[in-house]
């Protein structure tokens, strides 16, 4: 099971681009990388998922280098409402084992 | 579309009392089901997961148990609550596979006093 490592916290200002990097050195060949956002007293919400290179949706971009041992979530022009905890989750590889373990996450504080 | 229901939203229970939290999923078949717990200011701790009816895997030894009596129903129980059982309990589902995505319920805030 791939273990993930993220910075505990980050600060930013409104309008800036924020990049949060996650390390997953033991990622397996079939693992996908998924990012979630969690606000206080709510369940995490899916943001973006990727396998390699770059993925972009209406919320964020996900950059994955060729070795796939890390990934970077990029949030363009953050606002105060982007203040939340962001989790990087790496799948359990082939098969349907169902075991999905979250790391500690990164608390992003966006300031005015 | 798929929806997940989790109740109650908040619960205050005395130490030593029983617990039953229920979670149901609509709009999908044979989902993977999960129970996570989040202590105040902490990350998500995986408690139980299930890939099918009657198939329960436990991640953390404790006084909690889980059951899956139906395909889309997942129940978290305890016979006697401890103070340390306080926390935010989240149910989630996924369709499984290597690129599975988790969809969470709204959570239950449990306070054991």
């Amino acid at each position: 099971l791939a273990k993930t490592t993220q910075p505990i916290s980050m600060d930013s200002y409104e309008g800036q681009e924020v990049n949060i990097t996650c390390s997953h050195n033991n990622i397996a060949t079939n693992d996908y990388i998924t990012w979630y956002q969690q606000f206080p007293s709510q369940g995490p919400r899916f943001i973006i998922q990727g396998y390699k290179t770059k993925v972009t949706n209406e919320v964020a971009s996900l950059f994955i280098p060729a070795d796939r041992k890390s990934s970077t979530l990029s949030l363009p022009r953050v606002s105060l409402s982007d203040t939340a905890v962001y989790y990087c989750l790496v799948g359990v590889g082939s098969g349907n084992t169902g075991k999905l373990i979250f790391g500690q996450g990164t608390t992003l504080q966006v300031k005015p | 579309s798929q929806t997940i229901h989790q109740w109650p939203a908040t619960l205050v229970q005395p130490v030593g009392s029983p617990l039953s939290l229920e979670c149901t999923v609509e709009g999908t078949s044979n989902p993977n089901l999960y129970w996570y717990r989040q202590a105040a200011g902490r990350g998500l701790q995986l408690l139980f997961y299930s890939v099918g009816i009657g198939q329960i895997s436990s991640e953390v030894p404790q006084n909690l148990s889980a059951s899956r009596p139906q395909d889309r129903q997942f129940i978290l129980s305890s016979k006697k609550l401890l103070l340390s059982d306080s926390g935010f309990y989240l149910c989630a589902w996924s369709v499984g596979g290597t690129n599975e995505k988790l969809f969470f319920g709204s959570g239950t805030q449990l306070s054991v006093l």
Side-chain angles (χ1 to χ4, degrees), chain B residues 16-85:
Chain B
S17 64
L19 173 73
S20 181
L21 301 180
E22 188 165 342
C23 172
T24 59
V25 180
E26 296 178 356
T28 187
S29 297
N30 195 31
N32 286 357
L33 297 173
Y34 307 81
W35 280 110
Y36 289 89
R37 178 172 63 195
Q38 190 169 36
R42 304 294 295 276
L44 292 154
Q45 179 187 34
L46 177 63
L47 300 177
F48 300 95
Y49 63 96
S50 171
V51 298
I53 297 176
Q55 301 178 59
I56 308 294
S57 296
S58 174
E59 281 301 294
V60 183
Q62 57 209 337
N63 68 321
L64 299 173
S65 62
S67 62
R68 185 170 177 172
Q70 301 180 43
D71 180 43
R72 290 169 288 177
Q73 183 184 29
F74 207 22
I75 299 172
L76 182 69
S77 304
S78 174
K79 293 182 179 179
K80 291 185 177 181
L81 284 168
L82 306 172
L83 288 174
S84 58
D85 291 324

Side-chain angles (χ1 to χ4, degrees), chain A residues 40-100:
Chain A
S41 300
Q42 295 184 26
R45 180 177 70 101
F46 170 85
I47 301 176
I48 196 166
Q49 183 183 72
Y51 183 80
K52 61 180 179 181
T53 62
K54 177 184 175 182
V55 179
T56 298
N57 62 21
E58 65 279 3
V59 177
S61 294
L62 179 60
F63 299 91
I64 305 169
D67 66 6
R68 303 197 332 117
K69 293 183 182 298
S70 66
S71 59
T72 299
L73 174 72
S74 181
L75 304 173
R77 299 183 60 80
V78 294
S79 63
L80 295 176
S81 62
D82 291 317
T83 294
V85 179
Y86 293 83
Y87 294 96
C88 161
L89 191 64
V90 176
V92 296
S94 61
N96 184 23
T97 64
K99 185 173 179 177
L100 296 175

